[in-house]
Amino acid sequence: MPRIVVGNWKMHKTAAQTAAFLDVFLPQVTALPPAIEVVLAPPFTAIPEAARRLHGTRVRLGAQTMHWELEGAFTGEISAPMLLELGVTHVILGHSERRALFNETDHAVNLKVHTALEQGLTPIIALGETLAERKAGTTDDRVVAQSHAALKGVSGDALRRVIIAYEPIWAIGTGENCDPGEADRVMGTIRASRTELADTPILYGGSMTPSNVGAYAERPNVNGGLVGGASLDPEGFARLIANAVRS
Ligand code: 13P
């Protein structure tokens, strides 16, 4: 299974800043080995600029969310056909910031996963426990429930096109990354919760850096990373990718 590294820029970088990032980043990732896939998920407004620059490279283009309907009266929303037209191949769904700050429910995530798969986008389904859930010992129940809910009604070939990202909420943007062995254990629990997830790529996210990525990449249930802050600096992100390949 290839390693997958996804950069989630969240609400960072204008189109001009994206161009400046790629001027430095792309020359450093020209010789990616086939065993690694890299996806960049800039804000919507920077996607056209990123698409132009990524054309002909091995770096794929992702979006950070989308609506489940294909069109309609949904002010401010973006649909799968709009993303596909720009060359987007991946879409992050159910990020904890979307869930906590924009009321995205398990049901909405499930609708989006179905639409993404029907439209030919690869969903990157984000899930993870809060600090309170971890302290209460309900981490495993929480992530398995989120995974089941997101994948309700998805089976067969479609299920093989899904990527899952385990992002403990307390580790996001805090510098307190989850211990790699513990992340691997939780990710193994997610994998074991449904037989068809045996070969599903599961990524770790939460304060991943160029220096700690290797400790995750060598774990059996970790197939890559969903990277926030450390994906914003072109040299640092290229180094993180190189270290993910090396280990
Ligand atoms: P950080 O890497 O900044 O902790 O963010 C992780 C994340 O939320 C990626 O989606």
Side-chain angles (χ1 to χ4, degrees):
M1 186 186 305
R3 296 239 167 95
I4 303 171
V5 177
V6 183
N8 173 15
W9 282 358
K10 309 189 179 183
M11 199 172 74
H12 293 284
K13 297 194 192 292
T14 64
Q17 289 167 333
T18 299
F21 173 97
L22 293 173
D23 280 346
V24 179
F25 177 71
L26 285 178
Q28 300 189 44
V29 293
T30 45
L32 287 177
I36 184 131
E37 280 174 22
V38 176
V39 182
L40 258 193
F44 292 132
T45 50
I47 287 178
E49 179 66 29
R52 267 192 296 281
R53 303 242 177 178
L54 297 183
H55 188 73
T57 76
R58 291 239 357 262
V59 180
R60 302 274 81 88
L61 192 51
Q64 300 174 15
T65 183
M66 65 169 205
H67 199 276
W68 61 85
E69 293 290 351
L70 303 186
E71 62 179 6
F74 303 103
T75 300
E77 290 290 330
I78 295 286
S79 73
M82 295 170 186
L83 298 176
L84 287 161
E85 186 183 55
L86 297 177
V88 170
T89 53
H90 293 67
V91 61
I92 301 167
L93 298 176
H95 192 282
S96 59
E97 288 150 18
R98 300 285 328 161
R99 294 179 193 257
L101 304 173
F102 303 100
N103 303 320
E104 197 159 299
T105 62
D106 278 340
H107 178 58
V109 175
N110 180 243
L111 292 173
K112 293 177 180 204
V113 169
H114 278 278
T115 300
L117 290 167
E118 282 157 21
Q119 294 295 308
L121 286 164
T122 300
I124 302 168
I125 302 166
L127 43 87
E129 81 285 2
T130 63
L131 187 58
E133 287 162 343
R134 173 154 286 268
K135 283 184 174 160
T138 56
T139 294
D140 294 13
D141 291 346
R142 181 77 188 118
V143 296
V144 168
Q146 282 180 314
S147 165
H148 280 316
L151 294 171
K152 196 170 161 204
V154 181
S155 58
D157 271 357
L159 197 50
R160 277 188 277 281
R161 293 191 284 118
V162 163
I163 298 172
I164 291 177
Y166 169 56
E167 298 204 309
I169 294 168
W170 49 271
I172 295 177
T174 59
E176 279 187 48
N177 59 305
C178 182
D179 171 75
E182 170 59 9
D184 182 66
R185 186 196 68 73
V186 177
M187 292 157 84
T189 303
I190 296 168
R191 194 183 293 294
S193 69
R194 196 166 158 178
T195 46
E196 300 104 310
L197 296 181
D199 298 321
T200 299
I202 307 184
L203 317 182
Y204 169 77
S207 298
M208 189 174 254
T209 64
S211 33
N212 67 27
V213 63
Y216 292 99
E218 65 192 19
R219 301 280 171 168
N221 283 302
V222 184
N223 307 113
L226 179 53
V227 186
S231 71
L232 294 171
D233 169 59
E235 269 135 2
F237 193 42
R239 208 160 54 243
L240 189 154
I241 293 162
N243 291 348
V245 178
R246 209 168 289 131
S247 39

